[in-house]
């Protein structure tokens, strides 16, 4: 319902701006032109942000997080050895999730390196980008789950 309402509002705003741009007074035309310019600036900024995140991803932005998780799991495992078998099991599960994410990140990076830069692979590139975004969300979830588990783990 809210999504439909939002779409209707967007269509109305674009319609009013377009009408004013072509058929409005000089003041309305200037205002519409200014709004369209600002929208263009926002679109360019979003594009720059996406390129920046892609560069960070390619540069190994998540490698440090993976290393920190590994060392945190090791410390938690050592602290939990004598106390809680359930905690050890959860640590093992988190380590498996981390390894699966690491392998998938590596796989995507390899695909990008070997994929030819042709128009026929634009859909593949879009799919890879969507998967990267999903991996980012999964990584954030893994970090959150790890933080919750580490708060439960006894410290040495």
């Amino acid at each position: 319902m809210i999504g439909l309402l939002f779409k209707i509002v967007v269509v109305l705003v674009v319609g009013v701006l377009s009408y004013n741009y072509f058929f409005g007074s000089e003041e309305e035309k200037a205002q519409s032109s200014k709004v369209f310019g600002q929208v263009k600036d926002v679109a360019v900024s979003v594009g720059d942000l996406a390129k920046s995140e892609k560069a960070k991803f390619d540069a190994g932005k998540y490698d440090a997080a993976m290393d920190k998780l590994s060392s945190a799991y090791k410390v938690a495992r050592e602290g939990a050895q004598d106390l809680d078998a359930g905690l050890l099991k959860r640590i093992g599960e988190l380590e498996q999730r981390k390894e699966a994410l690491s392998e998938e990140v590596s796989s995507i990076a390899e695909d990008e390196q070997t994929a030819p830069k042709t128009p026929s692979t634009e859909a593949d590139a879009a799919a890879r980008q969507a998967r990267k975004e999903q991996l980012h969300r999964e990584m954030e979830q893994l970090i959150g789950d790890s933080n919750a588990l580490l708060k439960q783990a006894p410290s040495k």
Side-chain angles (χ1 to χ4, degrees):
M1 179 67 182
I2 292 174
L4 177 63
L5 183 62
F6 180 73
K7 289 176 186 177
I8 291 171
V9 169
V10 168
V11 169
L12 287 174
V13 168
V14 169
V16 168
L17 285 172
S18 298
Y19 177 81
N20 286 344
Y21 185 79
F22 292 108
F23 303 112
S25 67
E26 290 302 317
E27 181 181 325
E28 291 171 335
K29 287 181 181 182
Q31 187 178 22
S32 293
S33 180
K34 180 181 175 185
V35 170
F36 283 130
Q38 290 172 343
V39 168
K40 177 185 170 201
D41 291 343
V42 168
V44 168
S45 296
V46 168
D48 290 344
L49 175 65
K51 288 177 187 175
S52 160
E53 280 300 311
K54 182 187 181 314
K56 288 177 185 177
F57 184 86
D58 292 343
K61 174 181 178 181
Y62 302 107
D63 292 344
M66 292 291 193
D67 292 341
K68 287 179 185 178
L69 284 175
S70 294
S71 63
Y73 294 153
K74 181 179 178 186
V75 168
R77 186 178 295 280
E78 290 170 357
Q81 285 288 331
D82 302 325
L83 300 176
D84 190 356
L87 190 61
L88 288 173
K89 181 180 176 188
R90 285 278 298 141
I91 291 170
E93 291 169 358
L94 290 172
E95 286 177 329
Q96 288 175 349
R97 283 174 54 194
K98 180 191 75 75
E99 288 302 317
L101 284 172
S102 292
E103 289 174 12
E104 195 154 355
V105 166
S106 297
S107 172
I108 288 174
E110 288 174 13
D111 286 350
E112 286 183 338
Q113 295 296 325
T114 59
K117 304 293 185 201
T118 62
S120 64
T121 61
E122 288 180 16
D124 293 337
R128 276 194 301 272
Q129 183 62 31
R131 186 60 189 142
K132 280 184 190 179
E133 292 168 6
Q134 177 64 28
L135 285 173
H136 178 73
R137 288 188 293 276
E138 289 177 18
M139 177 69 70
E140 288 175 348
Q141 181 64 43
L142 176 63
I143 290 171
D145 292 347
S146 298
N147 284 337
L149 179 75
L150 293 175
K151 286 179 183 177
Q152 296 174 356
S155 59
K156 278 192 151 182

